[in-house]
Amino acid sequence: MPHSASDASPAGATARAPRTLRQLIAGTWQPGDGAEIVDTNPARPSEAVAVGQLAQERDLDRAVTAAREAFPKWAATPHPVRGRILHRTADVLDARAEQWGEELAWEEGKTRAEGVAEVRRAADIFRYYAGEALRPVGAVFASSRAGEQIQVIRRPVGVVAAVTPFNFPIAIPAWKIAPALSYGNVVVWKPASAVPLLALRLAEALVEAGLPEGVLSLLICGGALGGRLAEHPGVDAVTFTGSTSIGRGLIASCGRLARPVQTEMGGKNAAVVLASADHDLAAAEVVAGAFRSTGQKCTATSRLIVEDSVADEFLDLLTKRVADLRVGDPLDERTGMGPVVSLQARDEIQRAVDAGAARPGVEILTGGRPYDDDRATGAFLQPTVVELAGDDELWREELFGPVLAVRRARDARHAFDLVNESEFGLSAAVFTDDFRAVSQAVDEVDVGILHINSETAGAEPHVPFGGAKHSGYGPKEQGRAALEFFTRTKTVYLRASGGDGR
Ligand code: UN1
């Protein structure tokens, strides 16, 4: 099949013609059967990044049928051979990192540097899962009978539906698709409709690396068809990252179908700055955690808890740094923070900040106002820090944008209680050099990922990723944890005939 589904890239950053979107179904690149889609640049929403046609029900059926047909052969392909394809995918991603990272920034709104780093991260993830072919994937146990051993082997689950969010257009798909394929599954993938171009790029990389037909299908479509994909009778398991409301809907529908599902959902992640912290380090990390990717990470720092005795001093340092962030076009190398993903997201977040500012006990320390310069036409928001006197919606609800809510705590105990005061439990950060406080945090902070003296975001490919409480459901992602979701065990009692003396 042809390797490339889209137009050649422009020679320079200035020549940006919209790219052409294609679906990848049953091994062929084709337009969808549905309505036209125009993918726009959040920094300049009148500018088209890519255009194409959405997938429809018929496309979905064809993709799932092709996946079912491709599954037995792919599952029977030796793991090292599958691994080589993943390795080559990583090489393609590395080779295109600059170009595709720039497209990522253009399409999604994070800075160019973050975009390039994300494509490289996707390459690292593919390389890790290529290496799974060389690691043990089962276990051998003793049997109570002579002449017998018990093997616990792992088999792929089958056709996996992957539904991925806009905020990491290539890294999150990589950490679902790479383990799925490595362990012998086939995938039908519905990326967020805000970032179809980067989805296309990842699919191109896999095809260029030699992925056989039907092993991955890409459906660029709306949410309703994504829901039908998850419920399709030809699908065996569903992996999802995105909003809490959609994730819960999928948990319910998969529960009805008795279908394995893994969801990674919201966060309201807290950073705690204790009196003993290195303030410069803490301020730099909190700014990174709260405002990189314009705060649009499920792992972003959206709550800050500062020990009372140092709060004035620390907040002064922090708000100065935040006010110094340069907000603008993500493709401008000097930009520190780009827009949020859409005008709709911008308006919803601004409304929540405005409503909060009108409540007693809510004080905006920096930011909080709409732009009235040339950024007003883009999806830009000011990086915002809001201090709260007590509990408030801004303390509880995930805004998914550049808004940091602050409260003061009497001491470490009080601070950790405030961290745990959330329905979510994805990640947390504690800044201190007090060993007692560190061990207390390790024991008591109820999250899936805890950082000591580093920001709340970030995930290395070889360790488990996922949250506690309502942040996630089902087995964790990444590292060897991915085996739990993307394979099932088969316990084999293995005896040579004539064993056990009978
Ligand atoms: C990171 O912190 O680098 O949707 C990754 C999200 C998370 C990924 C976070 N699943 O933001």
PDB file of all heavy atoms in Angstrom, residues 230-256:
ATOM      1  N   ALA A 230     -16.724   1.473  20.091  1.00  0.00           N
ATOM      2  CA  ALA A 230     -16.504   0.805  21.382  1.00  0.00           C
ATOM      3  C   ALA A 230     -17.524  -0.308  21.617  1.00  0.00           C
ATOM      4  O   ALA A 230     -17.231  -1.297  22.283  1.00  0.00           O
ATOM      5  CB  ALA A 230     -16.559   1.830  22.506  1.00  0.00           C
ATOM      6  N   GLU A 231     -18.730  -0.124  21.054  1.00  0.00           N
ATOM      7  CA  GLU A 231     -19.792  -1.124  21.274  1.00  0.00           C
ATOM      8  C   GLU A 231     -19.904  -2.135  20.128  1.00  0.00           C
ATOM      9  O   GLU A 231     -20.764  -3.008  20.160  1.00  0.00           O
ATOM     10  CB  GLU A 231     -21.141  -0.402  21.433  1.00  0.00           C
ATOM     11  CG  GLU A 231     -21.171   0.484  22.651  1.00  0.00           C
ATOM     12  CD  GLU A 231     -22.556   1.035  22.943  1.00  0.00           C
ATOM     13  OE1 GLU A 231     -23.550   0.497  22.412  1.00  0.00           O
ATOM     14  OE2 GLU A 231     -22.629   2.017  23.698  1.00  0.00           O
ATOM     15  N   HIS A 232     -19.079  -1.991  19.127  1.00  0.00           N
ATOM     16  CA  HIS A 232     -19.193  -2.860  17.937  1.00  0.00           C
ATOM     17  C   HIS A 232     -18.991  -4.329  18.326  1.00  0.00           C
ATOM     18  O   HIS A 232     -18.072  -4.650  19.082  1.00  0.00           O
ATOM     19  CB  HIS A 232     -18.135  -2.434  16.910  1.00  0.00           C
ATOM     20  CG  HIS A 232     -18.398  -2.962  15.542  1.00  0.00           C
ATOM     21  ND1 HIS A 232     -18.236  -4.283  15.215  1.00  0.00           N
ATOM     22  CD2 HIS A 232     -18.835  -2.347  14.415  1.00  0.00           C
ATOM     23  CE1 HIS A 232     -18.558  -4.462  13.938  1.00  0.00           C
ATOM     24  NE2 HIS A 232     -18.922  -3.295  13.435  1.00  0.00           N
ATOM     25  N   PRO A 233     -19.843  -5.213  17.796  1.00  0.00           N
ATOM     26  CA  PRO A 233     -19.717  -6.627  18.183  1.00  0.00           C
ATOM     27  C   PRO A 233     -18.374  -7.258  17.799  1.00  0.00           C
ATOM     28  O   PRO A 233     -17.967  -8.252  18.401  1.00  0.00           O
ATOM     29  CB  PRO A 233     -20.862  -7.321  17.440  1.00  0.00           C
ATOM     30  CG  PRO A 233     -21.505  -6.310  16.575  1.00  0.00           C
ATOM     31  CD  PRO A 233     -21.005  -4.950  16.944  1.00  0.00           C
ATOM     32  N   GLY A 234     -17.681  -6.663  16.832  1.00  0.00           N
ATOM     33  CA  GLY A 234     -16.392  -7.236  16.423  1.00  0.00           C
ATOM     34  C   GLY A 234     -15.209  -6.779  17.250  1.00  0.00           C
ATOM     35  O   GLY A 234     -14.074  -7.149  16.970  1.00  0.00           O
ATOM     36  N   VAL A 235     -15.472  -5.964  18.281  1.00  0.00           N
ATOM     37  CA  VAL A 235     -14.375  -5.429  19.105  1.00  0.00           C
ATOM     38  C   VAL A 235     -14.277  -6.242  20.393  1.00  0.00           C
ATOM     39  O   VAL A 235     -15.287  -6.608  20.988  1.00  0.00           O
ATOM     40  CB  VAL A 235     -14.625  -3.925  19.392  1.00  0.00           C
ATOM     41  CG1 VAL A 235     -13.771  -3.427  20.537  1.00  0.00           C
ATOM     42  CG2 VAL A 235     -14.388  -3.107  18.131  1.00  0.00           C
ATOM     43  N   ASP A 236     -13.046  -6.531  20.825  1.00  0.00           N
ATOM     44  CA  ASP A 236     -12.859  -7.354  22.039  1.00  0.00           C
ATOM     45  C   ASP A 236     -12.538  -6.536  23.285  1.00  0.00           C
ATOM     46  O   ASP A 236     -12.771  -6.998  24.397  1.00  0.00           O
ATOM     47  CB  ASP A 236     -11.714  -8.351  21.808  1.00  0.00           C
ATOM     48  CG  ASP A 236     -12.051  -9.338  20.699  1.00  0.00           C
ATOM     49  OD1 ASP A 236     -13.072 -10.036  20.828  1.00  0.00           O
ATOM     50  OD2 ASP A 236     -11.311  -9.383  19.697  1.00  0.00           O
ATOM     51  N   ALA A 237     -11.928  -5.356  23.125  1.00  0.00           N
ATOM     52  CA  ALA A 237     -11.522  -4.572  24.302  1.00  0.00           C
ATOM     53  C   ALA A 237     -11.395  -3.112  23.886  1.00  0.00           C
ATOM     54  O   ALA A 237     -11.175  -2.807  22.707  1.00  0.00           O
ATOM     55  CB  ALA A 237     -10.180  -5.079  24.834  1.00  0.00           C
ATOM     56  N   VAL A 238     -11.550  -2.216  24.871  1.00  0.00           N
ATOM     57  CA  VAL A 238     -11.563  -0.776  24.575  1.00  0.00           C
ATOM     58  C   VAL A 238     -10.580  -0.059  25.494  1.00  0.00           C
ATOM     59  O   VAL A 238     -10.632  -0.217  26.718  1.00  0.00           O
ATOM     60  CB  VAL A 238     -12.983  -0.192  24.802  1.00  0.00           C
ATOM     61  CG1 VAL A 238     -12.998   1.313  24.514  1.00  0.00           C
ATOM     62  CG2 VAL A 238     -14.011  -0.913  23.936  1.00  0.00           C
ATOM     63  N   THR A 239      -9.679   0.712  24.886  1.00  0.00           N
ATOM     64  CA  THR A 239      -8.781   1.539  25.686  1.00  0.00           C
ATOM     65  C   THR A 239      -9.053   3.004  25.373  1.00  0.00           C
ATOM     66  O   THR A 239      -9.164   3.384  24.199  1.00  0.00           O
ATOM     67  CB  THR A 239      -7.300   1.156  25.478  1.00  0.00           C
ATOM     68  OG1 THR A 239      -6.481   2.083  26.204  1.00  0.00           O
ATOM     69  CG2 THR A 239      -6.870   1.168  24.013  1.00  0.00           C
ATOM     70  N   PHE A 240      -9.190   3.807  26.409  1.00  0.00           N
ATOM     71  CA  PHE A 240      -9.637   5.196  26.238  1.00  0.00           C
ATOM     72  C   PHE A 240      -8.842   6.121  27.142  1.00  0.00           C
ATOM     73  O   PHE A 240      -8.561   5.798  28.295  1.00  0.00           O
ATOM     74  CB  PHE A 240     -11.128   5.274  26.627  1.00  0.00           C
ATOM     75  CG  PHE A 240     -11.652   6.685  26.789  1.00  0.00           C
ATOM     76  CD1 PHE A 240     -12.066   7.422  25.681  1.00  0.00           C
ATOM     77  CD2 PHE A 240     -11.734   7.277  28.051  1.00  0.00           C
ATOM     78  CE1 PHE A 240     -12.542   8.724  25.834  1.00  0.00           C
ATOM     79  CE2 PHE A 240     -12.209   8.572  28.211  1.00  0.00           C
ATOM     80  CZ  PHE A 240     -12.619   9.299  27.102  1.00  0.00           C
ATOM     81  N   THR A 241      -8.491   7.292  26.612  1.00  0.00           N
ATOM     82  CA  THR A 241      -8.021   8.393  27.447  1.00  0.00           C
ATOM     83  C   THR A 241      -8.813   9.615  27.035  1.00  0.00           C
ATOM     84  O   THR A 241      -8.956   9.900  25.839  1.00  0.00           O
ATOM     85  CB  THR A 241      -6.516   8.656  27.241  1.00  0.00           C
ATOM     86  OG1 THR A 241      -5.788   7.509  27.658  1.00  0.00           O
ATOM     87  CG2 THR A 241      -6.054   9.858  28.065  1.00  0.00           C
ATOM     88  N   GLY A 242      -9.329  10.335  28.024  1.00  0.00           N
ATOM     89  CA  GLY A 242     -10.098  11.539  27.706  1.00  0.00           C
ATOM     90  C   GLY A 242     -10.909  11.993  28.900  1.00  0.00           C
ATOM     91  O   GLY A 242     -10.539  11.741  30.051  1.00  0.00           O
ATOM     92  N   SER A 243     -12.035  12.618  28.604  1.00  0.00           N
ATOM     93  CA  SER A 243     -12.800  13.255  29.682  1.00  0.00           C
ATOM     94  C   SER A 243     -13.468  12.220  30.582  1.00  0.00           C
ATOM     95  O   SER A 243     -13.768  11.092  30.166  1.00  0.00           O
ATOM     96  CB  SER A 243     -13.863  14.179  29.083  1.00  0.00           C
ATOM     97  OG  SER A 243     -14.885  13.387  28.514  1.00  0.00           O
ATOM     98  N   THR A 244     -13.725  12.648  31.812  1.00  0.00           N
ATOM     99  CA  THR A 244     -14.363  11.770  32.790  1.00  0.00           C
ATOM    100  C   THR A 244     -15.758  11.364  32.313  1.00  0.00           C
ATOM    101  O   THR A 244     -16.142  10.198  32.436  1.00  0.00           O
ATOM    102  CB  THR A 244     -14.439  12.494  34.149  1.00  0.00           C
ATOM    103  OG1 THR A 244     -13.099  12.874  34.491  1.00  0.00           O
ATOM    104  CG2 THR A 244     -14.996  11.609  35.234  1.00  0.00           C
ATOM    105  N   SER A 245     -16.501  12.298  31.717  1.00  0.00           N
ATOM    106  CA  SER A 245     -17.877  11.955  31.356  1.00  0.00           C
ATOM    107  C   SER A 245     -17.889  10.905  30.234  1.00  0.00           C
ATOM    108  O   SER A 245     -18.652   9.925  30.312  1.00  0.00           O
ATOM    109  CB  SER A 245     -18.666  13.205  30.964  1.00  0.00           C
ATOM    110  OG  SER A 245     -18.044  13.820  29.868  1.00  0.00           O
ATOM    111  N   ILE A 246     -17.061  11.067  29.222  1.00  0.00           N
ATOM    112  CA  ILE A 246     -17.054  10.065  28.148  1.00  0.00           C
ATOM    113  C   ILE A 246     -16.498   8.738  28.675  1.00  0.00           C
ATOM    114  O   ILE A 246     -17.027   7.663  28.383  1.00  0.00           O
ATOM    115  CB  ILE A 246     -16.261  10.574  26.923  1.00  0.00           C
ATOM    116  CG1 ILE A 246     -16.997  11.775  26.335  1.00  0.00           C
ATOM    117  CG2 ILE A 246     -16.086   9.465  25.876  1.00  0.00           C
ATOM    118  CD1 ILE A 246     -16.309  12.432  25.176  1.00  0.00           C
ATOM    119  N   GLY A 247     -15.469   8.814  29.493  1.00  0.00           N
ATOM    120  CA  GLY A 247     -14.880   7.597  30.055  1.00  0.00           C
ATOM    121  C   GLY A 247     -15.901   6.803  30.854  1.00  0.00           C
ATOM    122  O   GLY A 247     -15.997   5.575  30.722  1.00  0.00           O
ATOM    123  N   ARG A 248     -16.694   7.513  31.644  1.00  0.00           N
ATOM    124  CA  ARG A 248     -17.697   6.801  32.449  1.00  0.00           C
ATOM    125  C   ARG A 248     -18.776   6.178  31.571  1.00  0.00           C
ATOM    126  O   ARG A 248     -19.284   5.097  31.858  1.00  0.00           O
ATOM    127  CB  ARG A 248     -18.307   7.748  33.461  1.00  0.00           C
ATOM    128  CG  ARG A 248     -17.281   8.122  34.498  1.00  0.00           C
ATOM    129  CD  ARG A 248     -17.904   8.932  35.599  1.00  0.00           C
ATOM    130  NE  ARG A 248     -17.146   8.679  36.783  1.00  0.00           N
ATOM    131  CZ  ARG A 248     -17.661   8.516  37.986  1.00  0.00           C
ATOM    132  NH1 ARG A 248     -18.950   8.602  38.169  1.00  0.00           N
ATOM    133  NH2 ARG A 248     -16.884   8.280  39.001  1.00  0.00           N
ATOM    134  N   GLY A 249     -19.117   6.875  30.490  1.00  0.00           N
ATOM    135  CA  GLY A 249     -20.078   6.316  29.536  1.00  0.00           C
ATOM    136  C   GLY A 249     -19.545   5.014  28.943  1.00  0.00           C
ATOM    137  O   GLY A 249     -20.274   4.028  28.816  1.00  0.00           O
ATOM    138  N   LEU A 250     -18.256   5.014  28.617  1.00  0.00           N
ATOM    139  CA  LEU A 250     -17.657   3.798  28.030  1.00  0.00           C
ATOM    140  C   LEU A 250     -17.595   2.664  29.053  1.00  0.00           C
ATOM    141  O   LEU A 250     -17.811   1.495  28.709  1.00  0.00           O
ATOM    142  CB  LEU A 250     -16.251   4.097  27.505  1.00  0.00           C
ATOM    143  CG  LEU A 250     -16.173   4.920  26.220  1.00  0.00           C
ATOM    144  CD1 LEU A 250     -14.725   5.266  25.894  1.00  0.00           C
ATOM    145  CD2 LEU A 250     -16.795   4.154  25.054  1.00  0.00           C
ATOM    146  N   ILE A 251     -17.292   3.022  30.309  1.00  0.00           N
ATOM    147  CA  ILE A 251     -17.253   1.982  31.353  1.00  0.00           C
ATOM    148  C   ILE A 251     -18.637   1.330  31.446  1.00  0.00           C
ATOM    149  O   ILE A 251     -18.765   0.102  31.523  1.00  0.00           O
ATOM    150  CB  ILE A 251     -16.841   2.584  32.714  1.00  0.00           C
ATOM    151  CG1 ILE A 251     -15.395   3.071  32.652  1.00  0.00           C
ATOM    152  CG2 ILE A 251     -17.032   1.573  33.844  1.00  0.00           C
ATOM    153  CD1 ILE A 251     -14.984   3.966  33.818  1.00  0.00           C
ATOM    154  N   ALA A 252     -19.684   2.173  31.394  1.00  0.00           N
ATOM    155  CA  ALA A 252     -21.046   1.633  31.509  1.00  0.00           C
ATOM    156  C   ALA A 252     -21.368   0.756  30.300  1.00  0.00           C
ATOM    157  O   ALA A 252     -21.860  -0.370  30.454  1.00  0.00           O
ATOM    158  CB  ALA A 252     -22.049   2.774  31.630  1.00  0.00           C
ATOM    159  N   SER A 253     -21.065   1.236  29.079  1.00  0.00           N
ATOM    160  CA  SER A 253     -21.463   0.430  27.918  1.00  0.00           C
ATOM    161  C   SER A 253     -20.623  -0.846  27.839  1.00  0.00           C
ATOM    162  O   SER A 253     -21.147  -1.914  27.508  1.00  0.00           O
ATOM    163  CB  SER A 253     -21.425   1.239  26.617  1.00  0.00           C
ATOM    164  OG  SER A 253     -20.165   1.805  26.437  1.00  0.00           O
ATOM    165  N   CYS A 254     -19.340  -0.766  28.175  1.00  0.00           N
ATOM    166  CA  CYS A 254     -18.524  -1.989  28.141  1.00  0.00           C
ATOM    167  C   CYS A 254     -18.948  -2.948  29.254  1.00  0.00           C
ATOM    168  O   CYS A 254     -18.894  -4.168  29.068  1.00  0.00           O
ATOM    169  CB  CYS A 254     -17.037  -1.651  28.261  1.00  0.00           C
ATOM    170  SG  CYS A 254     -16.404  -0.862  26.768  1.00  0.00           S
ATOM    171  N   GLY A 255     -19.367  -2.395  30.387  1.00  0.00           N
ATOM    172  CA  GLY A 255     -19.867  -3.251  31.474  1.00  0.00           C
ATOM    173  C   GLY A 255     -21.065  -4.064  31.002  1.00  0.00           C
ATOM    174  O   GLY A 255     -21.144  -5.271  31.229  1.00  0.00           O
ATOM    175  N   ARG A 256     -21.983  -3.388  30.306  1.00  0.00           N
ATOM    176  CA  ARG A 256     -23.165  -4.087  29.774  1.00  0.00           C
ATOM    177  C   ARG A 256     -22.754  -5.209  28.832  1.00  0.00           C
ATOM    178  O   ARG A 256     -23.383  -6.254  28.785  1.00  0.00           O
ATOM    179  CB  ARG A 256     -24.021  -3.085  28.985  1.00  0.00           C
ATOM    180  CG  ARG A 256     -25.255  -2.625  29.726  1.00  0.00           C
ATOM    181  CD  ARG A 256     -26.260  -1.914  28.844  1.00  0.00           C
ATOM    182  NE  ARG A 256     -25.733  -1.204  27.695  1.00  0.00           N
ATOM    183  CZ  ARG A 256     -25.313   0.058  27.698  1.00  0.00           C
ATOM    184  NH1 ARG A 256     -25.330   0.761  28.812  1.00  0.00           N
ATOM    185  NH2 ARG A 256     -24.880   0.622  26.591  1.00  0.00           N
TER     186      ARG A 256
END
